[in-house]
Amino acid sequence: MKFIKITLWSILILILQLNTLLAQEFQFPSEEEVLKAVSGDLILKEGIFKSGENEYKAEYVTLVIPENRTKQSSRLINIPVVKIYSTNENPVEPVFLLTGGPGQSNIWKSPKEWMLKHHDIVMVGYRGFDGSVFLKTPEIINNLKVKSDPLSSENLEKLGQSLNLAFERFQREGIDPDGYNIVEVIDDIEITRKKLGYKKINLFSASYGTRVAYIYGLRYPDSINRSVMYAVNPPGHFIWYPDNMESLLKYYNELWKKDAEAVKKSTDLLQTMKVVLNSLPTEWNGVFIDSDKVKIVMFLQLYHVSSAVMVFDALVAAEKGDYSGL
C-alpha cells in the first residue's frame, strides 16, 4: 500500500498548530526592551521557572538574529530562549533540549527536572513557531476539512495549491520562507551557546529534534559534549516515506508468520490488509466508512508498536466481516 506523504504531513501540521504557544506563558523581555537590539544581541530577564509544584531560578531571553543569514539585507527576527539554572552550585555542561515536530514549540513546559541536579537546562525556540514569526497556514487547514476522499486526486491538487498560496502569502507579508530550515535553527542554538558562555553543551533530543541534533553534530562537532537521542529520526531513514513503510510492513509480516497464535488469525498479514482495504464497504451498521481516512489513521497508528497491534487486530476482524475496529 502506497500512502500519500504530502497529505499526512499536512495533517501533522494541522495537529501541531492547534498546540498552545507555550512561550507566551513566560515572562520574556518586553518589546520596548528589545526595540534597540542589534543582530546577535541577547536580552535577558531574570525570573522563575515553575514546573509542577517546583520553582527554579531562570533567565528568559530574547535572541535577535537575521531571518536569513545568507542575505545581508535580511530583516531581524526574535527567538525566545529559556535558561533554567541547575540546583548544583558547580554544574557541568548544560543540556540543550530539542523537541520533535517539526511544527511545535521548543520551549518545553515540563522539562526533565532530574537534569537540573547537575546541569543547566536551555531551550532555544524553533524559528517559525516560537518568537516573532509564526508560520501559521490556514490555507492548508481549510483544504484538509473535506467530508470524504482526502486522498483523491482533486483534494491532493487543492492541497498542493494551498501550499503555494501559503508560500505566496508569507512573501507578501514580508516573510522570507528560505530562512526557516534546520541549518538556521542550528545556528540559532550555536549563537545562544556562545552568548551564554558555554564551551560545550549536551543535546537531549526527540524525533525531529534528533535530526537537528545529528546535523548540529556535523556542523559544530567541537561544541558538543554528549548527544542523547530517543525516537531517532535520522536523514534518509524517514518512516513516512512510502518505501520505508513498505519495508516496515513486510518486517511486521515476517514476525507475524513466526507467531503460531497470529497465524491462526491470518496466514498472511499483508494479504489480509490488501483484501480488507480493497473491499471496504462504504457503510457498516449505520456508520459511514471513508477508505482514505481509514488508511490515513492506520498509517499514523503504525508509527508505534503498541498502536500498530490495534491496526492488525482491526484488520483481522474486518476480514471476518467485523469492521468495528476500522
Side-chain angles (χ1 to χ4, degrees):
M1 279 63 63
K2 297 290 185 183
F3 293 90
I4 305 299
K5 178 175 60 178
I6 188 171
T7 300
L8 295 166
W9 260 115
S10 303
I11 288 173
L12 280 185
I13 292 171
L14 165 63
I15 295 170
L16 294 172
Q17 288 186 347
L18 295 178
N19 288 346
T20 303
L21 299 183
L22 299 178
Q24 294 183 358
E25 299 178 10
F26 305 124
Q27 298 300 311
F28 289 93
S30 65
E31 291 185 14
E32 292 75 16
E33 294 175 281
V34 178
L35 196 58
K36 297 181 180 180
V38 297
S39 180
D41 277 358
L42 281 182
I43 299 89
L44 290 77
K45 185 174 182 179
E46 293 186 353
I48 299 295
F49 185 92
K50 296 181 180 180
S51 181
E53 298 180 354
N54 299 319
E55 295 185 350
Y56 302 95
K57 180 183 176 182
E59 286 181 350
Y60 294 95
V61 182
T62 297
L63 171 65
V64 181
I65 32 83
E67 183 174 42
N68 188 337
R69 291 181 173 90
T70 65
K71 297 179 180 179
Q72 290 185 345
S73 60
S74 179
R75 66 172 183 166
L76 298 180
I77 60 173
N78 303 332
I79 300 292
V81 178
V82 177
K83 172 184 174 180
I84 309 173
Y85 281 88
S86 172
T87 55
N88 193 317
E89 293 183 0
N90 298 297
V92 291
E93 293 86 357
V95 177
F96 277 56
L97 305 181
L98 300 172
T99 194
Q104 59 184 340
S105 175
N106 196 41
I107 307 299
W108 299 34
K109 191 172 183 180
S110 300
K112 309 296 184 181
E113 294 180 61
W114 56 266
M115 295 180 181
L116 293 169
K117 186 175 180 180
H118 298 290
H119 312 269
D120 295 338
I121 290 178
V122 180
M123 300 172 283
V124 181
Y126 284 158
R127 56 169 59 211
F129 191 99
D130 298 308
S132 56
V133 179
F134 179 42
L135 300 180
K136 191 172 184 179
T137 53
E139 298 90 344
I140 296 174
I141 295 173
N142 291 336
N143 275 296
L144 283 170
K145 295 178 179 177
V146 294
K147 290 184 178 180
S148 62
D149 305 320
L151 300 181
S152 68
S153 297
E154 180 183 1
N155 284 329
L156 290 176
E157 180 69 24
K158 289 180 180 178
L159 187 60
Q161 293 171 359
S162 70
L163 290 168
N164 289 330
L165 289 173
F167 185 89
E168 293 168 359
R169 176 175 57 79
F170 290 150
Q171 292 181 314
R172 290 196 303 271
E173 293 174 353
I175 296 171
D176 183 353
D178 290 339
Y180 299 86
N181 57 65
I182 286 183
V183 171
E184 291 284 4
V185 169
I186 290 167
D187 285 356
D188 293 344
I189 300 168
E190 177 66 4
I191 192 173
T192 300
R193 177 194 67 80
K194 292 178 179 178
K195 292 288 183 177
L196 292 180
Y198 297 122
K199 185 177 180 180
K200 286 182 178 288
I201 63 176
N202 299 307
L203 301 178
F204 182 79
S205 57
S207 193
Y208 159 77
T210 67
R211 186 168 294 204
V212 177
Y214 172 75
I215 300 174
Y216 196 135
L218 297 178
R219 192 165 174 80
Y220 301 109
D222 294 336
S223 298
I224 298 175
N225 178 49
R226 289 190 175 93
S227 183
V228 177
M229 306 178 181
Y230 68 95
V232 181
N233 186 359
H237 297 278
F238 200 33
I239 192 66
W240 303 94
Y241 292 155
D243 288 344
N244 289 349
M245 179 54 69
E246 290 287 333
S247 297
L248 177 62
L249 290 173
K250 290 177 181 178
Y251 178 63
Y252 270 130
N253 198 33
E254 291 172 6
L255 294 177
W256 181 276
K257 290 180 177 179
K258 294 177 182 178
D259 188 301
E261 292 300 316
V263 172
K264 290 179 182 178
K265 302 175 183 178
S266 167
T267 56
D268 188 310
L269 183 62
L270 282 182
Q271 184 61 26
T272 291
M273 183 178 290
K274 292 175 182 178
V275 169
V276 170
L277 294 180
N278 288 332
S279 60
L280 272 178
T282 56
E283 183 271 340
W284 185 76
N285 281 4
V287 177
F288 173 69
I289 300 177
D290 186 314
S291 62
D292 282 357
K293 294 180 180 179
V294 169
K295 292 175 183 177
I296 290 171
V297 177
M298 281 175 52
F299 180 89
L300 296 172
Q301 293 289 88
L302 288 170
Y303 198 76
H304 295 285
V305 173
S306 58
S307 54
V309 171
M310 294 191 291
V311 171
F312 303 151
D313 284 344
L315 288 168
V316 169
E319 189 174 32
K320 294 177 172 60
D322 179 2
Y323 294 92
S324 57
L326 299 182

